[in-house]
Amino acid sequence: MEQPALEVRSKKLIEVDGRQFKDLNGNGQLDPYEDWRLNPAERAADLVGRMTVDEKVGLMLINSRFTGYQTDADAPKSHDGILDEREIEAGTSIFATRRVYPTTETIQRMHLRHFILRENESPSRVAAWNNAMNEVCEETRLGIPCITASNSRNENGEMVFGMNDAVGIFSTFPATMGLSAAVLGDQADGGDASLIDGFAAAVRREWTATGLRKGYMYMADVVTDPRWQRIYGTFGESPELVSDIIARLVQGLQGDELGPDSLSTTIKHFPGGGPRENGFDPHYAEGKWNCYPTPGSLDDYHMPPFRAGVKAASFMPYYSAPSIKKSVVQPIGGEDVPYEETGFAFNHYFLEHVLRERMGFAGYVNSDSGITDNMCWGVEDLSRPERFAKAVMSGTDIIADTNNIEDLKTAIDNNWISMARVDQACQRLLIEMFALGLFDAKTYVDAAAADQVVAESPGWALATEAHRKSLVVLKNSGSTLPLAAGATVYVEVFHKNPEQAATKTAQAREEAAGVGVTVAEDASAADAVVLLLDPQSGDYFNATPGLLELTLCENKPLTALNGDAYTETTIANLDRFRQIAGDARARGAKVVVSVNVSLPWILDDVEPLADALVAGFSTFYGPQFEVLTGAQPAHGKLPITLPASEAVIAVDADGVCVSPNDVPGYAKEQYMPDGLTYAYVDSDGNTYRLGHGLRY
């Protein structure tokens, strides 16, 4: 075995048999966990045997961690301002229910080694921060390094905590559904999903250069309920496509097996977050249930992508719990599921029997954030120590977004968690760290080189291609597209927030001009108007008063679930939008409407106003205009089905939706009552079902 290049910053190197090793515990001799010639399992077993209970407790928690870069100048920091050494009161978010301690104290006294980075910093700064964190780790008794996780960072979109925590620093692709739209276009041309292979390779190269070694990604959830707020982060509604993509991502990010050049992946949200109860999300109590009203839906639609990703280093169970009353008996592999109405991180049957025994999963289970404080569905009546015990003894190995060492320790001290189970969890977690080389050559990265590595990544060119391919032409009346050569084009973006709309309009006009479009200052003087709609609806951290709104509306009167009246806006200044479109058509100018499909919007009030209608997925404006002008071919295909009307997703007084919540849009047709067709059909007769997309 080749000698790795080892670097220490406070401990020493020792030489044995002509090889160098890190003396991480400072005892002057080579211990098995320090011996890089041994396999990760052997090293992990040895290290677990040397750890105190307190060190094991810290290892079993992962918590969000601030850097020192974005704190006030006079805030306490260390390592030349890189590490945040503030003490922060509890209650800063729905996850931060406990006091946040300084970085050094968190590592050295509390023994945490897993952290989540949510800040959007340059590659060199992220790398320097990871290095500084590991310097603090190296100083500890056993010299156990830390590992940093992040939600995905390579897709375009507005910054949203927990989904798009960081945007635009790494090579920036369209949103995940845009990747699916591009892949479906490739497949329609006789190709395959190899675009995902290149995407994964770029992500892996860029992240590892910064010391980010663990991704909370990607979502293997299949879209079945159109009102689910998190559809934005999925790969759509096709179990076959999502399975193909997830398998390629696990292979591309990790490799054949986890190693020093791998990016460890956490596939989520097992066993699928798609079957919501009318869209409500389990970040809040109204969405606590997974509902399976359709025979066979769990195994047929929701489980396949998780089977495809079973070689991932870790799985994240969803907050939600399976509902007995709202479901029919579901078989998995011919065996009926015995429902336990607890969140999946507390669900022994799904974690131990389905995931490990039946699927053969060998990694570790990483809970979603906050399960012992807020999103503790099915175990609300238990104390916090009892919730820790229930999760860990049900098969969860690490609890996310908490530093609550006290309650986990209490559960262990009371023998509610066996020491054998604690050791098993710690060994699983350490195997990953050893395999990734974090104890050896990969503890520190070259921070000075990180910016250049990312800048030179092939991901940038591939991302440009993916943006072009992601645009889906839904409607093209009278061959409106491509726009005539030399045409003057008026451009305006509409958003829920008028200030955002103004900013995005300036950006869209600049990008349109950058690809050769002649942009008119006045709509009345343009040969064509391109109106870009970016609707927003709801917040996946908070329940809407009524059902999530999917129409494009402004100040729409609605009735809340409790009977109260309220109004909803998904797009501001819709009257202006209609006026511009109507005036343009009246004088013979073409109207092109682009809709950002972050949710399966109902377009019955918009499509009739458009000569051409296209769907983007946080697709950059420049590539959109390249397709609209014919400089690039129309390529993408819809990754989800767009509903025909509010009638096809109507919910009755008993909370039952007319179209089943657990079945993908393309398959809902067989369950619709007479007279209702689920997929939208436009004025040209195009059906906006999975796979639809026109070419020219």
Side-chain angles (χ1 to χ4, degrees):
M1 184 179 291
E2 184 178 351
Q3 165 80 57
L6 304 179
E7 178 184 0
V8 289
R9 299 192 177 182
S10 60
K11 297 293 175 67
K12 295 182 179 180
L13 297 176
I14 57 176
E15 187 169 313
V16 176
D17 299 330
R19 306 285 186 92
Q20 285 191 326
F21 303 87
K22 292 183 180 182
D23 185 15
L24 291 171
N25 59 9
N27 66 358
Q29 62 188 34
L30 179 62
D31 297 301
Y33 86 94
E34 300 164 334
D35 190 343
W36 45 260
R37 296 170 299 184
L38 301 179
N39 66 48
E42 292 172 316
R43 299 177 72 181
D46 177 71
L47 179 53
V48 167
R50 299 171 186 273
M51 295 172 70
T52 66
V53 172
D54 288 341
E55 288 166 339
K56 294 173 184 178
V57 165
L59 189 68
M60 293 173 66
L61 304 178
I62 181 168
N63 204 18
S64 293
R65 188 77 244 167
F66 297 108
T67 70
Y69 300 127
Q70 298 183 18
T71 61
D72 294 337
D74 58 351
K77 305 176 186 180
S78 67
H79 292 73
D80 297 323
I82 295 174
L83 297 186
D84 174 27
E85 301 292 0
R86 294 174 298 166
E87 191 165 307
I88 305 172
E89 293 298 326
T92 56
S93 77
I94 66 170
F95 304 127
T97 57
R98 298 178 61 80
R99 183 185 296 271
V100 177
Y101 292 92
T103 298
T104 298
E105 182 178 356
T106 299
I107 292 172
Q108 296 188 343
R109 178 182 70 82
M110 303 174 76
H111 307 293
L112 268 71
R113 289 298 186 274
H114 293 82
F115 299 100
I116 308 168
L117 178 65
R118 301 187 185 277
E119 294 178 14
N120 199 23
E121 291 289 348
S122 69
S124 58
R125 280 190 160 197
V126 173
W129 178 75
N130 273 309
N131 286 347
M133 296 274 283
N134 271 307
E135 286 182 18
V136 176
C137 292
E138 188 179 312
E139 295 169 356
T140 60
R141 185 179 77 90
L142 294 170
I144 301 172
C146 64
I147 181 170
T148 303
S150 171
N151 285 295
S152 61
R153 290 173 173 253
N154 289 77
E155 300 90 57
N156 187 38
E158 295 184 18
M159 298 278 280
V160 179
F161 181 89
M163 281 175 66
N164 274 41
D165 291 319
V167 175
I169 298 295
F170 295 122
S171 61
T172 308
F173 289 74
T176 47
M177 282 200 296
L179 292 172
S180 291
V183 166
L184 286 169
D186 287 344
Q187 292 176 337
D189 290 342
D192 57 19
S194 56
L195 172 68
I196 301 300
D197 303 337
F199 169 72
V203 172
R204 176 177 175 173
R205 172 176 176 171
E206 294 166 20
W207 283 45
T208 56
T210 71
L212 291 175
R213 300 303 303 278
K214 171 179 163 73
Y216 276 162
M217 58 198 191
Y218 279 87
M219 288 175 65
D221 311 88
V222 172
V223 174
T224 54
D225 190 312
R227 294 187 180 94
W228 184 33
Q229 185 68 37
R230 301 202 71 171
I231 289 172
Y232 171 77
T234 72
F235 291 101
E237 71 180 23
S238 165
E240 294 78 17
L241 176 64
V242 178
S243 297
D244 189 4
I245 288 174
I246 291 296
R248 289 174 182 271
L249 285 170
V250 171
Q251 174 65 31
L253 295 172
Q254 294 188 171
D256 292 334
E257 60 181 20
L258 215 58
D261 296 318
S262 298
L263 176 58
S264 178
T265 62
T266 302
I267 298 302
K268 56 187 185 180
H269 304 86
F270 181 75
R276 310 270 24 87
E277 185 178 10
N278 303 321
F280 290 110
D281 190 274
H283 279 95
Y284 42 82
E286 292 87 343
K288 68 190 294 184
W289 300 117
N290 261 28
C291 303
Y292 304 103
T294 310
S297 65
L298 173 60
D299 212 23
D300 292 344
Y301 300 125
H302 298 284
M303 290 294 293
F306 294 98
R307 294 190 183 99
V310 75
K311 292 184 179 179
S314 59
F315 264 43
M316 179 181 289
Y318 209 25
Y319 296 119
S320 50
S323 170
I324 296 173
K325 293 180 180 179
K326 303 173 190 295
S327 304
V328 298
V329 174
Q330 294 288 335
I332 295 180
E335 176 183 288
D336 288 347
V337 173
Y339 290 124
E340 178 188 1
E341 289 186 317
T342 61
F344 289 109
F346 304 101
N347 201 301
H348 186 275
Y349 176 84
F350 272 92
L351 296 184
E352 289 296 331
H353 182 65
V354 177
L355 182 58
R356 291 200 183 276
E357 293 177 15
R358 294 186 68 90
M359 294 172 57
F361 176 68
Y364 64 89
V365 174
N366 190 134
S367 86
D368 213 333
S369 295
I371 65 160
T372 55
D373 290 309
N374 288 318
M375 286 68 75
C376 46
W377 311 130
V379 296
E380 296 97 323
D381 293 338
L382 299 182
S383 67
R384 281 189 176 86
E386 289 171 324
R387 292 172 191 167
F388 274 103
K390 173 65 172 167
V392 174
M393 293 307 292
S394 294
T396 298
D397 299 297
I398 184 169
I399 310 296
D401 240 344
T402 183
N403 62 358
N404 188 356
I405 56 176
E406 295 85 3
D407 285 337
L408 178 54
K409 179 75 178 301
T410 296
I412 295 170
D413 289 345
N414 287 340
N415 293 317
W416 298 338
I417 304 175
S418 69
M419 190 52 62
R421 176 69 187 101
V422 170
D423 289 351
Q424 180 187 57
C426 289
Q427 182 153 353
R428 287 170 177 166
L429 295 166
L430 287 169
I431 285 173
E432 175 186 58
M433 296 173 72
F434 280 114
L436 292 173
L438 294 176
F439 281 82
D440 306 309
K442 299 297 183 176
T443 311
Y444 303 105
V445 295
D446 186 349
D451 287 337
Q452 184 175 357
V453 170
V454 173
E456 294 177 352
S457 168
W460 296 100
L462 185 62
T464 298
E465 177 188 348
H467 277 279
R468 291 166 177 160
K469 287 183 170 183
S470 69
L471 195 70
V472 179
V473 177
L474 301 173
K475 173 185 176 181
N476 190 22
S477 296
S479 298
T480 296
L481 300 177
L483 295 172
T488 57
V489 179
Y490 177 78
V491 178
E492 186 167 345
V493 177
F494 293 81
H495 190 278
K496 183 174 183 175
N497 182 326
E499 292 183 3
Q500 285 256 39
T503 300
K504 289 175 178 287
T505 294
Q507 180 184 351
R509 290 173 179 173
E510 181 180 351
E511 290 190 32
V515 296
V517 174
T518 302
V519 179
E521 292 296 320
D522 189 340
S524 64
D527 300 313
V529 297
V530 177
L531 307 177
L532 301 117
L533 305 182
D534 194 354
Q536 311 288 318
S537 188
D539 174 354
Y540 75 102
F541 287 124
N542 298 286
T544 48
L547 301 171
L548 189 77
E549 186 59 42
L550 292 181
T551 66
L552 305 190
C553 63
E554 185 172 20
N555 297 321
K556 180 180 179 179
L558 294 169
T559 302
L561 297 180
N562 66 4
D564 291 345
Y566 73 105
T567 62
E568 183 63 86
T569 292
T570 56
I571 286 275
N573 294 319
L574 267 180
D575 285 344
R576 174 176 170 79
F577 162 77
R578 294 189 184 97
Q579 185 71 47
I580 294 172
D583 289 349
R585 297 189 83 176
R587 60 185 175 79
K590 296 296 185 181
V591 176
V592 179
V593 176
S594 172
V595 180
N596 187 39
V597 180
S598 54
L599 287 166
W601 305 111
I602 296 170
L603 303 178
D604 54 1
D605 194 39
V606 171
E607 175 270 318
L609 301 175
D611 296 299
L613 181 65
V614 301
F617 305 88
S618 295
T619 304
F620 285 156
Y621 299 126
Q624 288 199 48
F625 279 98
E626 288 181 302
V627 175
L628 297 181
T629 59
Q632 294 292 329
H635 183 85
K637 302 288 184 181
L638 274 179
I640 53 174
T641 299
L642 303 186
S645 64
E646 291 184 278
V648 304
I649 58 171
V651 175
D652 67 19
D654 296 322
V656 177
C657 187
V658 67
S659 50
N661 308 103
D662 57 340
V663 173
Y666 72 87
K668 290 184 191 290
E669 210 65 62
Q670 60 188 302
Y671 301 99
M672 301 303 296
D674 291 342
L676 284 181
T677 300
Y678 183 79
Y680 185 79
V681 179
D682 68 20
S683 54
D684 286 356
N686 300 302
T687 301
Y688 296 179
R689 188 180 291 118
L690 171 71
H692 170 63
L694 304 177
R695 301 288 179 85
Y696 49 77

